[in-house]
Amino acid sequence: MPHFSTTEQKRNAATAAVEYVENKMVVGLGTGSTVEFALRLLSQRVKQGLHITGVPSSLATARLARRLRIPLVPDDGAFKKIDLTIDGADEVDPKLHLIKGGGGALTREKIVAARSDRVIIIVDEKKLVPQLGKLPLPVEVLPFGWQSTAALLRTLGARIQVRQNEDKIFRSDNGNIILDCHFRRITDAPALAAQIKSIAGVVEVGLFIRLADLVIVGKKEGGVAGLWAA
Ligand code: 5RP
C-alpha cells in the first residue's frame, strides 16, 4: 500500500478544502504549514478569476497572502461575518474538539473561527487523537502579572512552559505571552476551556470547542477523509 508523507497528507487535505471556496466569499485564513498549501492553491484560483476577500489569522499569514496576491480585508478590525474559514490544528479528538496554537496564533484564529459560518480544519492523520492533551495546550496571557496567571494554571494540574523564541520570551502578534500547559490527558475539554477562560489575565485558550464543522484528514494511504461535526 502506498505511504503518503505528512507533507503530502497536508497538501491533499488543503486541496480538498479549497474546493469549498466559492466566488465572492469572505474567507478566514488560518495559520501554519497545512494552511500554507491552501493559500498557494487559493492564489492559483485567484489568478484564474476567483474573487474572494481573505481575513488573515496572523501577521505571518497576512504576509504570505499578500505575496501570493490573495486580496485581504483592508482593515482587519472591520470585518464582520466570514463565510468560510480554513485552518489547521495540532490535535483533533473524536468530537472534533481541537488543540490549536502551535504557531502562537490561537487568539486571532479563534476570533476568525467564531465569526465564521463554516469552519474547515485540515490535518494530516497523526493529528487525530482519542483524547486531547498529549501535546501542550497553548494559553495566551497578558504580560501583566503573567507569573501569577501561570500559578493559577498550575492549580488546574498543568506543568507550564513559557514559550521561547530562541533565548527570549516569545510574543504573540498581540504582544502577549504563550504558556504551554502540559496536562497529558484532558478528560473534559469544554469544562477545562471554561475554567481556563475564567482566570483573569488569560486572553485565550487553545481549546477550540464546537468550532469545527468539518475536519478534512489527509490519509497515509492517499486521499482524504471528511469528519463532520454531529
Ligand atoms: C497555529 C495553529 C496551527 O493551525 C497548528 O499549529 C497546525 O499547524 P501545522 O499545519 O503547521 O501543523 O494552530 O497557531
Coordinates of all heavy atoms in Angstrom, one line a residue, residues 101-198:
G101 N -2.8 26.5 18.3 CA -1.9 27.5 18.9 C -0.5 27.1 18.8 O 0.4 27.8 19.4
G102 N -0.2 26.0 18.1 CA 1.2 25.6 18.0 C 2.0 26.7 17.3 O 3.2 26.9 17.7
G103 N 1.4 27.5 16.5 CA 2.1 28.6 15.9 C 1.9 29.9 16.7 O 2.4 31.0 16.2
G104 N 1.2 29.8 17.8 CA 1.0 31.0 18.6 C 0.0 32.0 18.2 O -0.2 33.1 18.7
A105 N -0.9 31.5 17.2 CA -1.9 32.5 16.7 C -3.3 32.2 17.2 O -4.3 32.6 16.6 CB -1.9 32.4 15.1
L106 N -3.4 31.5 18.3 CA -4.7 31.0 18.8 C -5.8 32.0 18.9 O -6.9 31.8 18.6 CB -4.5 30.1 20.0 CG -4.0 30.8 21.3 CD1 -4.6 30.3 22.5 CD2 -2.5 30.6 21.3
T107 N -5.4 33.2 19.4 CA -6.4 34.2 19.7 C -7.1 34.7 18.5 O -8.3 34.7 18.3 CB -5.8 35.4 20.6 OG1 -5.3 34.8 21.8 CG2 -6.9 36.4 20.9
R108 N -6.3 35.1 17.5 CA -6.9 35.6 16.2 C -7.6 34.4 15.5 O -8.6 34.6 14.9 CB -5.8 36.2 15.4 CG -5.2 37.5 16.0 CD -4.3 38.2 15.1 NE -3.6 39.3 15.8 CZ -3.1 40.4 15.2 NH1 -3.2 40.5 13.9 NH2 -2.5 41.3 16.0
E109 N -7.0 33.2 15.6 CA -7.6 32.1 15.0 C -9.0 31.8 15.6 O -9.9 31.5 14.8 CB -6.7 30.8 15.1 CG -5.5 30.8 14.3 CD -4.5 29.7 14.6 OE1 -4.5 29.2 15.7 OE2 -3.7 29.4 13.7
K110 N -9.1 32.0 16.9 CA -10.4 31.7 17.5 C -11.4 32.8 17.1 O -12.6 32.5 16.8 CB -10.3 31.6 19.0 CG -11.5 30.9 19.6 CD -11.5 30.6 21.0 CE -10.8 29.3 21.3 NZ -11.0 28.9 22.8
I111 N -11.0 34.0 17.1 CA -11.9 35.1 16.6 C -12.4 34.8 15.2 O -13.6 34.9 14.9 CB -11.2 36.5 16.7 CG1 -10.9 36.8 18.2 CG2 -12.1 37.6 16.1 CD1 -10.0 38.1 18.3
V112 N -11.5 34.5 14.4 CA -11.8 34.2 12.9 C -12.8 33.0 12.9 O -13.8 33.1 12.2 CB -10.5 34.0 12.1 CG1 -10.9 33.4 10.8 CG2 -9.8 35.3 11.9
A113 N -12.5 31.9 13.6 CA -13.4 30.7 13.6 C -14.7 31.1 14.1 O -15.8 30.7 13.6 CB -12.7 29.6 14.3
A114 N -14.8 31.8 15.2 CA -16.0 32.1 15.9 C -16.9 33.0 15.1 O -18.1 33.0 15.2 CB -15.8 32.7 17.3
R115 N -16.4 33.8 14.1 CA -17.1 34.7 13.3 C -17.5 34.0 12.0 O -18.1 34.7 11.1 CB -16.4 36.0 13.0 CG -15.9 36.8 14.2 CD -17.1 37.4 15.0 NE -16.5 38.2 16.0 CZ -16.1 37.8 17.2 NH1 -16.2 36.6 17.5 NH2 -15.6 38.7 18.1
S116 N -17.2 32.8 11.8 CA -17.4 32.1 10.5 C -18.6 31.3 10.5 O -19.0 30.6 11.4 CB -16.2 31.2 10.2 OG -15.0 31.9 10.2
D117 N -19.3 31.3 9.3 CA -20.5 30.5 9.1 C -20.0 29.0 9.1 O -20.7 28.1 9.6 CB -21.1 30.7 7.7 CG -21.9 32.0 7.8 OD1 -22.2 32.5 8.9 OD2 -22.3 32.5 6.7
R118 N -18.9 28.7 8.5 CA -18.4 27.3 8.4 C -16.9 27.3 8.6 O -16.2 28.2 8.1 CB -18.7 26.7 7.0 CG -20.0 25.9 7.0 CD -20.1 25.2 5.7 NE -20.0 26.1 4.6 CZ -19.8 25.7 3.3 NH1 -19.7 24.4 3.0 NH2 -19.6 26.6 2.4
V119 N -16.4 26.3 9.4 CA -15.0 26.2 9.7 C -14.6 24.8 9.2 O -15.1 23.8 9.6 CB -14.7 26.3 11.2 CG1 -13.2 26.1 11.4 CG2 -15.1 27.7 11.6
I120 N -13.6 24.8 8.3 CA -13.0 23.5 7.8 C -11.6 23.4 8.4 O -10.8 24.4 8.2 CB -13.0 23.4 6.3 CG1 -14.4 23.5 5.7 CG2 -12.3 22.2 5.9 CD1 -14.4 23.4 4.2
I121 N -11.3 22.4 9.1 CA -10.0 22.1 9.6 C -9.3 21.1 8.8 O -9.8 20.1 8.4 CB -10.1 21.6 11.1 CG1 -10.8 22.7 12.0 CG2 -8.8 21.2 11.7 CD1 -10.0 24.0 12.1
I122 N -8.0 21.4 8.4 CA -7.3 20.5 7.6 C -6.0 19.9 8.3 O -5.3 20.7 8.9 CB -6.8 21.2 6.2 CG1 -6.2 22.6 6.5 CG2 -8.0 21.3 5.3 CD1 -5.7 23.3 5.2
V123 N -5.9 18.6 8.3 CA -4.9 18.0 9.1 C -4.3 16.7 8.4 O -5.0 16.2 7.6 CB -5.4 17.5 10.5 CG1 -5.7 18.7 11.4 CG2 -6.6 16.6 10.4
D124 N -3.1 16.3 8.8 CA -2.6 15.0 8.4 C -3.1 14.0 9.5 O -3.5 14.4 10.6 CB -1.1 15.1 8.4 CG -0.5 15.5 9.6 OD1 -0.4 16.8 9.8 OD2 -0.1 14.7 10.5
E125 N -2.9 12.7 9.2 CA -3.6 11.7 10.0 C -3.1 11.7 11.5 O -3.8 11.4 12.4 CB -3.3 10.4 9.3 CG -4.5 9.5 9.3 CD -4.3 8.2 8.6 OE1 -4.0 8.1 7.4 OE2 -4.4 7.2 9.4
K126 N -1.8 12.1 11.7 CA -1.3 11.9 13.0 C -1.9 13.0 14.0 O -1.6 12.9 15.2 CB 0.2 11.9 13.1 CG 0.9 13.1 12.7 CD 2.5 12.9 12.9 CE 3.3 14.2 12.8 NZ 3.0 15.0 11.6
K127 N -2.6 13.9 13.5 CA -3.2 14.9 14.4 C -4.5 14.4 15.1 O -5.0 14.9 16.0 CB -3.6 16.2 13.6 CG -2.5 16.8 12.8 CD -1.7 17.7 13.7 CE -0.6 18.4 13.0 NZ -0.9 19.5 12.1
L128 N -5.0 13.2 14.6 CA -6.2 12.6 15.2 C -5.8 11.9 16.4 O -4.9 11.0 16.4 CB -6.9 11.6 14.2 CG -7.4 12.2 12.9 CD1 -8.1 11.1 12.1 CD2 -8.3 13.4 13.1
V129 N -6.5 12.2 17.5 CA -6.1 11.5 18.8 C -7.4 11.1 19.5 O -8.4 11.7 19.3 CB -5.3 12.5 19.7 CG1 -4.0 12.9 19.2 CG2 -6.1 13.8 20.0
P130 N -7.3 10.0 20.3 CA -8.5 9.6 21.0 C -8.9 10.6 22.1 O -10.0 10.7 22.5 CB -8.1 8.2 21.6 CG -6.6 8.1 21.5 CD -6.2 9.1 20.5
Q131 N -7.9 11.3 22.7 CA -8.1 12.2 23.8 C -7.1 13.4 23.6 O -5.9 13.1 23.4 CB -7.9 11.5 25.1 CG -8.3 12.3 26.3 CD -8.3 11.5 27.6 OE1 -7.4 10.7 27.8 NE2 -9.3 11.6 28.4
L132 N -7.6 14.6 23.8 CA -6.7 15.8 23.7 C -5.7 15.8 24.9 O -6.0 15.3 26.0 CB -7.4 17.1 23.7 CG -8.5 17.3 22.6 CD1 -9.2 18.6 22.8 CD2 -7.8 17.2 21.2
G133 N -4.5 16.4 24.7 CA -3.6 16.7 25.8 C -2.3 16.1 25.7 O -1.4 16.4 26.6
K134 N -2.0 15.2 24.7 CA -0.7 14.7 24.6 C 0.3 15.8 24.3 O 1.4 15.9 24.9 CB -0.6 13.7 23.5 CG 0.5 12.7 23.6 CD 0.2 11.4 22.8 CE 1.6 10.7 22.6 NZ 1.7 10.0 21.4
L135 N -0.1 16.7 23.4 CA 0.7 17.9 23.2 C 0.3 19.0 24.2 O -0.8 19.0 24.7 CB 0.4 18.5 21.8 CG 0.9 17.6 20.6 CD1 0.5 18.2 19.3 CD2 2.4 17.5 20.7
P136 N 1.2 19.9 24.5 CA 0.8 21.0 25.4 C -0.3 21.9 24.9 O -0.4 22.1 23.7 CB 2.1 21.8 25.6 CG 2.9 21.4 24.4 CD 2.6 20.1 24.0
L137 N -1.1 22.4 25.8 CA -2.2 23.3 25.4 C -1.7 24.7 25.5 O -1.4 25.2 26.6 CB -3.4 23.1 26.4 CG -4.5 24.1 26.3 CD1 -5.2 23.9 25.0 CD2 -5.5 23.8 27.5
P138 N -1.7 25.5 24.4 CA -1.2 26.8 24.5 C -2.3 27.8 25.1 O -3.5 27.6 24.7 CB -1.0 27.2 23.0 CG -1.0 25.9 22.2 CD -1.9 25.0 23.0
V139 N -1.8 28.6 26.0 CA -2.7 29.6 26.6 C -2.1 30.9 26.4 O -0.9 31.1 26.8 CB -3.0 29.3 28.1 CG1 -3.9 30.4 28.7 CG2 -3.7 27.9 28.2
E140 N -2.8 31.9 25.8 CA -2.2 33.2 25.6 C -2.6 34.1 26.8 O -3.8 34.1 27.2 CB -2.7 33.9 24.3 CG -2.2 35.3 24.1 CD -2.3 35.7 22.7 OE1 -2.6 34.9 21.8 OE2 -2.1 36.9 22.4
V141 N -1.6 34.7 27.5 CA -1.8 35.5 28.7 C -1.2 36.9 28.5 O -0.3 37.1 27.8 CB -1.3 34.8 30.0 CG1 -1.9 33.4 30.1 CG2 0.2 34.8 30.0
L142 N -1.8 37.8 29.2 CA -1.3 39.2 29.2 C 0.1 39.2 29.9 O 0.2 38.5 30.9 CB -2.2 40.1 30.0 CG -3.4 40.7 29.2 CD1 -4.2 41.6 30.2 CD2 -3.0 41.4 28.0
P143 N 1.0 40.0 29.5 CA 2.3 40.1 30.2 C 2.1 40.6 31.6 O 2.8 40.1 32.5 CB 3.1 41.1 29.4 CG 2.5 41.0 28.0 CD 1.1 40.7 28.2
F144 N 1.2 41.5 31.8 CA 0.9 42.0 33.2 C 0.5 40.8 34.1 O -0.5 40.1 33.9 CB -0.2 43.0 33.2 CG -0.4 43.6 34.5 CD1 0.4 44.7 35.0 CD2 -1.4 43.2 35.3 CE1 0.2 45.2 36.3 CE2 -1.6 43.7 36.6 CZ -0.8 44.7 37.1
G145 N 1.3 40.6 35.1 CA 1.0 39.6 36.1 C 1.1 38.1 35.6 O 0.5 37.2 36.2
W146 N 1.9 37.9 34.6 CA 1.8 36.6 33.9 C 2.2 35.5 34.8 O 1.7 34.3 34.7 CB 2.6 36.6 32.6 CG 4.1 36.6 32.7 CD1 4.9 37.6 32.7 CD2 4.9 35.4 32.8 NE1 6.2 37.3 32.8 CE2 6.2 35.9 32.9 CE3 4.7 34.1 32.9 CZ2 7.4 35.1 33.0 CZ3 5.8 33.2 33.1 CH2 7.1 33.7 33.1
Q147 N 3.1 35.8 35.8 CA 3.6 34.7 36.6 C 2.5 34.2 37.6 O 2.4 33.0 37.9 CB 4.9 35.1 37.4 CG 6.0 35.4 36.4 CD 7.4 35.3 37.0 OE1 7.5 34.7 38.1 NE2 8.3 35.9 36.4
S148 N 1.7 35.2 38.0 CA 0.5 34.8 38.9 C -0.5 34.1 38.1 O -1.2 33.1 38.6 CB 0.0 36.0 39.6 OG -0.6 36.9 38.7
T149 N -0.7 34.4 36.8 CA -1.6 33.7 35.9 C -1.1 32.3 35.8 O -1.9 31.3 35.8 CB -1.7 34.4 34.5 OG1 -2.0 35.8 34.8 CG2 -2.8 33.8 33.7
A150 N 0.2 32.1 35.6 CA 0.8 30.8 35.4 C 0.5 30.0 36.7 O 0.2 28.8 36.6 CB 2.3 30.9 35.1
A151 N 0.7 30.6 37.8 CA 0.5 29.9 39.1 C -1.0 29.3 39.2 O -1.2 28.2 39.6 CB 0.8 30.8 40.3
L152 N -1.9 30.1 38.7 CA -3.3 29.7 38.8 C -3.5 28.5 37.8 O -4.3 27.6 38.1 CB -4.3 30.8 38.5 CG -4.4 31.8 39.6 CD1 -5.1 33.1 39.2 CD2 -5.1 31.2 40.8
L153 N -2.9 28.6 36.6 CA -3.0 27.5 35.7 C -2.4 26.2 36.3 O -2.9 25.1 36.0 CB -2.3 27.8 34.4 CG -3.0 28.9 33.5 CD1 -2.1 29.5 32.4 CD2 -4.3 28.2 32.9
R154 N -1.3 26.3 37.1 CA -0.7 25.2 37.7 C -1.7 24.5 38.7 O -1.7 23.3 38.8 CB 0.5 25.6 38.5 CG 1.8 25.4 37.7 CD 3.0 25.7 38.5 NE 3.9 26.3 37.6 CZ 4.2 27.6 37.6 NH1 3.8 28.4 38.5 NH2 5.0 28.1 36.7
T155 N -2.6 25.3 39.3 CA -3.5 24.7 40.3 C -4.6 23.8 39.5 O -5.2 23.0 40.1 CB -4.3 25.7 41.1 OG1 -5.1 26.5 40.2 CG2 -3.4 26.7 41.8
L156 N -4.6 24.0 38.2 CA -5.6 23.1 37.4 C -4.9 21.8 37.0 O -5.4 21.0 36.2 CB -6.1 23.8 36.1 CG -6.8 25.1 36.4 CD1 -7.2 25.8 35.1 CD2 -8.1 24.8 37.2
G157 N -3.6 21.6 37.4 CA -2.9 20.4 37.1 C -1.9 20.5 35.9 O -1.4 19.4 35.5
A158 N -1.6 21.7 35.5 CA -0.7 21.8 34.3 C 0.7 22.0 34.7 O 1.0 22.7 35.7 CB -1.2 23.0 33.4
R159 N 1.6 21.4 34.0 CA 3.0 21.8 34.1 C 3.2 22.9 33.0 O 2.8 22.7 31.8 CB 3.9 20.6 33.8 CG 5.4 20.9 33.9 CD 6.2 19.6 33.9 NE 6.1 19.0 32.6 CZ 6.8 19.4 31.4 NH1 7.6 20.4 31.5 NH2 6.6 18.7 30.3
I160 N 3.8 24.0 33.4 CA 3.8 25.1 32.5 C 5.2 25.4 31.9 O 6.2 25.4 32.6 CB 3.5 26.4 33.2 CG1 2.2 26.3 34.1 CG2 3.4 27.6 32.3 CD1 0.9 26.5 33.4
Q161 N 5.2 25.6 30.6 CA 6.5 26.1 29.9 C 6.2 27.4 29.3 O 5.2 27.5 28.6 CB 6.8 25.1 28.8 CG 8.0 24.2 29.1 CD 8.2 23.3 27.9 OE1 7.3 22.8 27.3 NE2 9.5 23.0 27.6
V162 N 7.0 28.4 29.5 CA 6.8 29.7 28.9 C 7.4 29.6 27.5 O 8.6 29.2 27.3 CB 7.6 30.8 29.7 CG1 7.3 32.1 29.0 CG2 7.2 30.8 31.1
R163 N 6.6 29.9 26.5 CA 7.1 29.7 25.1 C 8.3 30.7 24.8 O 8.2 31.8 25.2 CB 6.0 29.8 24.1 CG 6.5 29.3 22.7 CD 5.5 29.2 21.7 NE 4.4 28.3 22.0 CZ 3.4 28.1 21.2 NH1 3.4 28.7 20.0 NH2 2.4 27.3 21.5
Q164 N 9.3 30.1 24.2 CA 10.5 30.9 24.0 C 10.7 31.1 22.5 O 10.3 30.2 21.7 CB 11.8 30.2 24.5 CG 11.7 29.9 26.0 CD 12.0 31.1 26.9 OE1 12.9 31.9 26.6 NE2 11.2 31.2 27.9
N165 N 11.3 32.2 22.1 CA 11.8 32.4 20.7 C 13.3 32.6 20.8 O 13.7 33.6 21.3 CB 11.1 33.6 20.2 CG 11.4 33.9 18.7 OD1 12.1 33.0 18.1 ND2 11.0 35.0 18.2
E166 N 14.0 31.5 20.5 CA 15.5 31.5 20.8 C 15.7 31.7 22.3 O 15.1 31.0 23.1 CB 16.3 32.4 19.9 CG 16.2 31.9 18.5 CD 16.7 32.9 17.4 OE1 17.2 33.9 17.7 OE2 16.5 32.5 16.2
D167 N 16.4 32.7 22.7 CA 16.6 32.9 24.2 C 15.7 33.9 24.8 O 15.9 34.3 26.0 CB 18.1 33.1 24.5 CG 18.6 34.3 23.7 OD1 17.9 34.8 22.8 OD2 19.7 34.8 24.0
K168 N 14.7 34.4 24.1 CA 13.8 35.4 24.6 C 12.4 34.8 24.8 O 12.0 33.8 24.1 CB 13.7 36.6 23.6 CG 14.9 37.4 23.5 CD 14.4 38.9 23.1 CE 15.6 39.7 22.5 NZ 15.8 39.3 21.1
I169 N 11.6 35.4 25.6 CA 10.2 35.0 25.7 C 9.5 35.4 24.4 O 9.6 36.5 23.9 CB 9.5 35.7 26.9 CG1 10.1 35.2 28.2 CG2 8.0 35.5 26.9 CD1 9.4 35.7 29.5
F170 N 8.8 34.4 23.9 CA 8.0 34.6 22.6 C 6.9 35.6 22.9 O 6.2 35.5 23.9 CB 7.4 33.2 22.2 CG 6.5 33.2 21.0 CD1 6.9 33.1 19.7 CD2 5.1 33.4 21.3 CE1 6.0 33.1 18.7 CE2 4.2 33.4 20.2 CZ 4.7 33.3 18.9
R171 N 6.6 36.4 21.9 CA 5.5 37.3 22.0 C 4.6 37.0 20.8 O 5.0 36.9 19.7 CB 5.9 38.8 21.9 CG 6.7 39.3 23.1 CD 5.9 39.2 24.4 NE 6.7 39.6 25.5 CZ 6.3 40.6 26.4 NH1 5.1 41.2 26.2 NH2 7.1 41.0 27.4
S172 N 3.3 36.9 21.1 CA 2.3 36.7 20.0 C 2.1 38.0 19.2 O 2.6 39.0 19.5 CB 0.9 36.3 20.7 OG 0.4 37.5 21.2
D173 N 1.4 37.8 18.1 CA 1.1 39.0 17.3 C 0.4 40.1 18.1 O 0.3 41.3 17.7 CB 0.1 38.6 16.1 CG 0.8 37.8 15.1 OD1 2.1 37.7 15.1 OD2 0.1 37.2 14.2
N174 N -0.2 39.7 19.2 CA -0.9 40.7 20.1 C 0.0 41.2 21.2 O -0.5 41.9 22.1 CB -2.2 40.0 20.7 CG -2.9 39.2 19.6 OD1 -3.3 39.8 18.6 ND2 -3.2 37.9 19.9
G175 N 1.2 40.8 21.2 CA 2.2 41.3 22.2 C 2.1 40.5 23.5 O 2.7 40.9 24.5
N176 N 1.4 39.4 23.5 CA 1.2 38.6 24.7 C 2.2 37.4 24.8 O 2.9 37.1 23.9 CB -0.2 38.1 24.8 CG -1.2 39.3 24.9 OD1 -0.9 40.3 25.6 ND2 -2.3 39.2 24.2
I177 N 2.1 36.8 26.0 CA 2.9 35.6 26.3 C 2.1 34.3 26.0 O 0.9 34.3 26.3 CB 3.4 35.7 27.7 CG1 4.4 36.9 27.8 CG2 4.1 34.4 28.2 CD1 4.8 37.3 29.3
I178 N 2.8 33.3 25.6 CA 2.1 32.0 25.4 C 2.6 31.0 26.5 O 3.9 30.8 26.6 CB 2.3 31.4 24.0 CG1 2.0 32.3 22.9 CG2 1.6 30.0 23.9 CD1 0.5 32.5 22.6
L179 N 1.7 30.5 27.3 CA 2.1 29.5 28.3 C 1.7 28.1 27.7 O 0.5 27.9 27.4 CB 1.4 29.7 29.6 CG 1.8 31.1 30.3 CD1 1.0 31.3 31.6 CD2 3.3 31.2 30.5
D180 N 2.7 27.3 27.5 CA 2.3 25.9 27.0 C 2.0 25.0 28.2 O 2.9 24.8 29.0 CB 3.5 25.4 26.1 CG 3.5 26.0 24.8 OD1 2.4 26.1 24.1 OD2 4.6 26.5 24.3
C181 N 0.8 24.6 28.3 CA 0.3 23.9 29.6 C 0.3 22.4 29.3 O -0.6 22.0 28.5 CB -1.0 24.4 30.0 SG -1.0 26.2 30.3
H182 N 1.1 21.7 30.0 CA 1.1 20.2 29.8 C 0.2 19.6 30.8 O 0.4 19.6 32.0 CB 2.5 19.6 30.0 CG 3.6 20.2 29.1 ND1 4.1 19.5 28.1 CD2 4.1 21.4 29.0 CE1 5.0 20.2 27.4 NE2 5.0 21.4 28.0
F183 N -0.9 19.0 30.2 CA -1.9 18.3 31.1 C -1.8 16.8 30.9 O -2.3 16.1 31.7 CB -3.4 18.8 30.7 CG -3.7 20.1 31.2 CD1 -3.6 21.2 30.4 CD2 -4.2 20.3 32.5 CE1 -4.0 22.5 30.9 CE2 -4.5 21.6 33.0 CZ -4.4 22.6 32.2
R184 N -1.2 16.4 29.8 CA -1.0 15.0 29.5 C -2.3 14.3 29.0 O -2.4 13.8 27.9 CB -0.4 14.1 30.6 CG 1.0 14.6 30.9 CD 1.9 13.7 31.6 NE 1.1 12.8 32.5 CZ 1.7 11.9 33.2 NH1 2.9 11.6 33.0 NH2 1.0 11.1 34.0
R185 N -3.4 14.5 29.8 CA -4.7 13.9 29.3 C -5.8 15.0 29.7 O -5.8 15.4 30.9 CB -5.0 12.6 30.1 CG -4.4 11.4 29.4 CD -4.5 10.2 30.2 NE -5.2 10.3 31.5 CZ -6.3 9.7 31.8 NH1 -7.0 9.0 30.9 NH2 -6.9 9.8 33.0
I186 N -6.6 15.4 28.7 CA -7.6 16.3 29.0 C -8.9 15.5 28.9 O -9.3 15.1 27.8 CB -7.6 17.5 28.0 CG1 -6.3 18.3 28.2 CG2 -8.8 18.4 28.2 CD1 -6.1 19.4 27.2
T187 N -9.6 15.3 30.1 CA -10.7 14.4 30.1 C -12.0 15.1 29.7 O -12.9 14.5 29.1 CB -10.9 13.7 31.5 OG1 -10.7 14.7 32.5 CG2 -9.8 12.6 31.7
D188 N -12.1 16.4 30.1 CA -13.3 17.2 29.8 C -12.9 18.5 29.2 O -12.7 19.5 29.9 CB -14.1 17.4 31.1 CG -15.5 18.0 30.9 OD1 -15.7 18.6 29.8 OD2 -16.3 17.9 31.7
A189 N -12.7 18.5 27.9 CA -12.2 19.7 27.2 C -13.1 20.9 27.4 O -12.6 22.0 27.7 CB -11.9 19.4 25.7
P190 N -14.4 20.8 27.2 CA -15.3 22.0 27.4 C -15.1 22.6 28.8 O -15.0 23.8 29.0 CB -16.7 21.5 27.1 CG -16.5 20.3 26.3 CD -15.2 19.7 26.7
A191 N -15.1 21.8 29.8 CA -15.0 22.3 31.2 C -13.7 22.9 31.4 O -13.6 24.0 32.1 CB -15.2 21.1 32.2
L192 N -12.6 22.3 30.9 CA -11.3 22.9 31.1 C -11.1 24.2 30.4 O -10.6 25.2 31.0 CB -10.2 21.9 30.6 CG -8.7 22.4 30.8 CD1 -8.4 22.5 32.3 CD2 -7.7 21.5 30.2
A193 N -11.7 24.3 29.2 CA -11.7 25.6 28.5 C -12.3 26.7 29.3 O -11.8 27.8 29.4 CB -12.3 25.4 27.1
A194 N -13.5 26.3 29.8 CA -14.2 27.4 30.6 C -13.5 27.8 31.9 O -13.4 29.0 32.2 CB -15.6 26.8 31.0
Q195 N -12.9 26.8 32.5 CA -12.1 27.1 33.7 C -10.9 28.0 33.4 O -10.7 29.0 34.1 CB -11.5 25.8 34.3 CG -12.4 25.1 35.3 CD -11.7 23.8 35.8 OE1 -11.3 23.0 35.0 NE2 -11.7 23.7 37.1
I196 N -10.2 27.7 32.3 CA -9.0 28.5 32.0 C -9.5 29.9 31.6 O -8.9 30.9 32.0 CB -8.2 27.8 30.9 CG1 -7.6 26.5 31.4 CG2 -7.1 28.7 30.3 CD1 -6.8 25.6 30.4
K197 N -10.5 30.0 30.8 CA -11.0 31.3 30.3 C -11.4 32.2 31.5 O -11.4 33.4 31.4 CB -12.2 31.1 29.4 CG -11.8 31.1 27.9 CD -11.1 32.3 27.4 CE -11.9 33.5 26.9 NZ -12.1 33.7 25.6
S198 N -11.8 31.6 32.6 CA -12.3 32.4 33.7 C -11.2 33.0 34.6 O -11.4 33.8 35.5 CB -13.2 31.5 34.6 OG -12.4 30.6 35.4

